[in-house]
Amino acid sequence: MAREDVRNLFRFIDWVMDLPEILALEFNQTLHLYEEEKRMPYVTSIERHAIEKGRQEGRLEGKLERELATCEMLLTHKFGNAGLALLPLVQKLASPERLKEIQKAILDANTVEDVAQLLE
C-alpha cells in the first residue's frame, strides 16, 4: 500500500475502534515492528494534536521571553539600576502584546516613575 493509504487506514481504525487494553498493546508492538521495518512512523490524530499544541505553546513562550528581554534591555539602557527594579513588575505581564505596549511606554517615558505608574 502507498504511504498515504496506510495513514488513512490507521486514521480510520483509530476513529472507529477502541481496542481492549491487551489488544491495544499487541497492536502497538506489531505496529512498532512494522514501523522499524518500513521506517514509516504512524502518528495518531491525538499525537498530532498534542505536537501542534506543544509547538504553539513553545512559540508563545519564546515570544514572551524575547519581549521580556527587550523590556529589560530598554529599562537598563534608559534608566539603569532604577529601571531594572521594575523588571519584576514587567515579568508579571503574561501577554506579548502588553509587553510591546510597555516597550513603547519605556521609550516615551521621561522618568522611571512614569513607567512604574503604567505598570501598577
Side-chain angles (χ1 to χ4, degrees), residues 19-33:
L19 294 173
E21 186 174 328
I22 190 77
L23 291 176
L25 290 172
E26 185 179 328
F27 173 78
N28 286 335
Q29 289 173 341
T30 303
L31 180 60
H32 180 71
L33 291 172

Side-chain angles (χ1 to χ4, degrees), residues 14-55:
D14 197 36
W15 178 61
V16 298
M17 190 178 350
D18 187 17
L19 294 173
E21 186 174 328
I22 190 77
L23 291 176
L25 290 172
E26 185 179 328
F27 173 78
N28 286 335
Q29 289 173 341
T30 303
L31 180 60
H32 180 71
L33 291 172
Y34 177 77
E35 287 174 344
E36 285 183 0
E37 289 175 9
K38 300 295 181 180
R39 304 252 187 237
M40 185 182 79
Y42 171 70
V43 179
T44 66
S45 57
I46 293 170
E47 291 170 321
R48 284 190 303 276
H49 178 71
I51 290 167
E52 182 56 33
K53 184 177 179 184
R55 285 179 181 153

Side-chain angles (χ1 to χ4, degrees), residues 50-99:
I51 290 167
E52 182 56 33
K53 184 177 179 184
R55 285 179 181 153
Q56 289 173 354
E57 289 172 359
R59 285 190 291 266
L60 177 59
E61 189 175 308
K63 191 172 186 178
L64 278 170
E65 287 176 8
R66 286 189 301 275
E67 300 305 337
L68 280 170
T70 301
C71 286
E72 181 178 4
M73 181 201 60
L74 290 171
L75 286 168
T76 304
H77 181 73
K78 191 151 186 178
F79 303 114
N81 287 335
L84 278 181
L86 296 178
L87 200 55
L89 293 173
V90 173
Q91 289 172 332
K92 291 181 182 178
L93 304 173
S95 154
E97 293 77 21
R98 182 74 173 120
L99 291 171

